């Protein structure tokens, strides 16, 4: 899986500075946590797919959840092991490092309630069908997947000529592929993710974030927005049309019984 090897190598190279890079994104992280909290309770097992440096894993553990935190990047997982040292010692966070195929075949201590994948991990994967098949295997009947992916229809992209010239092939593929030097990025249409998930899952939630807030507001507290833009975004994040315009799409799938 060349694409995952490339991603691992890229994230190894930025692992030490990753938290600093993402420090300004507590707003969208807070939105993601809201969707997680609605579906998992203390004691639930959560699989954090593409867990990175463990920012989320440590939060899930603080909420009483058990976490299997997996990633393809040894550098990112080493940061997680530092951050979550105490949680790992008491068995609440279990790190798993492996190549992409082995991440799809992990043996879990029990069936999970939730699979989460935050900050566009799935936007690094060219075919999501095996990914969702693995998620289905991890989950108990009625379990959930919560993902945050890059949105091809983020309104700021629509101002670029390149966006319009890539539109036709993207419509066919239900995904806009952006070729990069270090790795490619796949901005899936919601319908493209739905199709990959379809044999096992039904989408039950859709939201958007980073729609109208300014970069300096991204450090804001989702649970208590202080600016008018923040309040407006939070009140409209699940509204049809508006939710389709944010930088990130948040999608929730429920495993079919
Ligand atoms: C943008 S970071 C997000 C990390 C973390 N989820 C967060 O919220 O901060 C993307 C992560 O996905 C991991 N990753 C990349 N390709 C992957 C793949 N094919 N399978 C699993 N993880 C992958 C990277 O190593 C990196 O840690």
């Amino acid at each position: 899986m060349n694409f995952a090897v490339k991603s691992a190598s890229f994230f190894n190279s930025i692992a030490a500075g990753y938290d600093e890079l993402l420090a300004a994104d507590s707003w969208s992280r807070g939105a993601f946590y809201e969707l997680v909290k609605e579906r998992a309770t203390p004691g639930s097992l959560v699989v954090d797919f593409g867990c990175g440096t463990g920012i989320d894993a440590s939060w899930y553990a603080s909420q009483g959840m058990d976490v299997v935190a997996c990633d393809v990047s040894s550098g990112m997982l080493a940061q997680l092991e530092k951050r979550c040292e105490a949680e790992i010692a008491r068995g609440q966070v279990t790190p798993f490092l492996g190549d992409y195929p082995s991440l799809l075949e992990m043996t879990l201590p029990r069936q999970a309630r939730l699979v989460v994948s935050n900050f566009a991990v799935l936007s690094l994967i060219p075919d999501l069908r095996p990914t969702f098949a693995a998620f289905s295997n991890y989950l108990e009947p009625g379990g959930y997947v919560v993902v945050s992916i890059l949105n091809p229809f983020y309104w700021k992209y629509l101002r670029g000529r390149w966006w319009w010239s890539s539109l036709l092939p993207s419509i066919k593929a239900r995904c806009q592929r952006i070729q990069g030097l270090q790795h490619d990025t796949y901005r899936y249409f919601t319908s493209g993710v739905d199709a990959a998930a379809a044999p096992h899952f039904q989408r039950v939630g859709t939201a958007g974030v980073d729609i109208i807030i300014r970069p300096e507001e991204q450090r804001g507290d989702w649970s208590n927005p202080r600016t008018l833009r923040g309040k407006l975004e939070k009140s409209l994040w699940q509204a049809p049309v508006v939710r389709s315009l944010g930088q990130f799409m948040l999608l929730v799938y429920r495993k079919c019984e």
Side-chain angles (χ1 to χ4, degrees):
M1 298 281 174
N2 199 21
F3 66 91
V5 174
K6 279 189 185 171
S7 296
S9 150
F10 171 71
F11 281 98
N12 283 341
S13 73
I14 64 161
Y18 179 83
D19 288 359
E20 188 53 36
L21 276 176
L22 280 234
D25 290 321
S26 54
W27 175 259
S28 41
R29 224 174 260 287
F32 191 85
Y33 293 163
E34 181 168 326
L35 297 177
V36 170
K37 266 195 295 194
E38 286 168 9
R39 289 161 182 99
T41 50
S44 296
L45 179 64
V46 177
V47 174
D48 188 354
F49 192 86
C51 58
T53 58
I55 302 171
D56 291 347
S58 90
W59 185 83
Y60 301 138
S62 77
Q63 303 299 301
M65 303 170 202
D66 295 326
V67 189
V68 172
C70 65
D71 207 288
V72 294
S73 157
S74 55
M76 297 292 270
L77 214 67
Q79 298 293 324
L80 175 141
E81 283 168 355
K82 265 195 237 165
R83 165 179 272 119
C84 300
E85 199 182 345
E87 293 88 339
I88 293 170
R90 57 173 185 265
Q92 216 184 347
V93 172
T94 306
F96 183 96
L97 172 68
D99 59 12
Y100 178 60
S102 66
L103 258 53
L104 301 186
E105 291 187 349
M106 292 186 298
T107 304
L108 302 180
R110 60 185 191 276
Q111 283 192 301
R113 172 72 184 152
L114 202 63
V115 175
V116 292
S117 195
N118 198 2
F119 271 102
V121 179
L122 298 196
S123 307
L124 298 165
I125 299 176
D127 177 3
L128 294 179
R129 286 168 300 181
T131 327
F132 273 95
F135 291 175
S136 173
N137 288 336
Y138 293 150
L139 286 168
E140 63 189 31
Y144 292 93
V145 173
V146 181
V147 299
S148 152
I149 57 169
L150 291 173
N151 175 20
F153 298 100
Y154 179 36
W155 64 272
K156 285 189 183 171
Y157 297 153
L158 310 193
R159 299 186 298 203
R161 225 187 250 177
W162 63 270
W163 189 93
W164 292 98
S165 59
S166 73
L167 187 58
L168 210 56
S170 306
I171 289 174
K172 268 180 142 176
R174 292 188 284 193
C175 173
Q176 186 183 43
R177 179 179 179 182
I178 314 290
Q179 289 181 297
L181 284 179
Q182 282 135 332
H183 61 78
D184 293 352
T185 305
Y186 303 85
R187 292 182 189 148
Y188 286 101
F189 294 16
T190 308
S191 62
V193 186
D194 288 353
H200 316 280
F201 295 98
Q202 192 178 9
R203 178 156 50 94
V204 293
T206 313
V209 279
D210 289 1
I211 307 166
I212 50 167
I213 54 163
R214 295 205 167 104
E216 65 271 20
E217 291 168 326
Q218 289 177 346
R219 285 179 190 272
D221 179 0
W222 175 259
S223 61
N224 184 22
R226 294 190 188 283
T227 63
L228 184 60
R229 282 167 183 263
K231 285 178 187 154
L232 202 59
E233 176 157 323
K234 190 170 173 181
S235 66
L236 294 174
W237 73 311
Q238 302 195 50
V241 185
V242 180
R243 70 187 180 202
S244 310
L245 298 173
Q247 187 172 8
F248 290 98
M249 287 291 287
L250 309 184
L251 305 176
V252 183
Y253 291 89
R254 185 163 199 264
K255 181 173 168 174
C256 307
E257 305 274 345

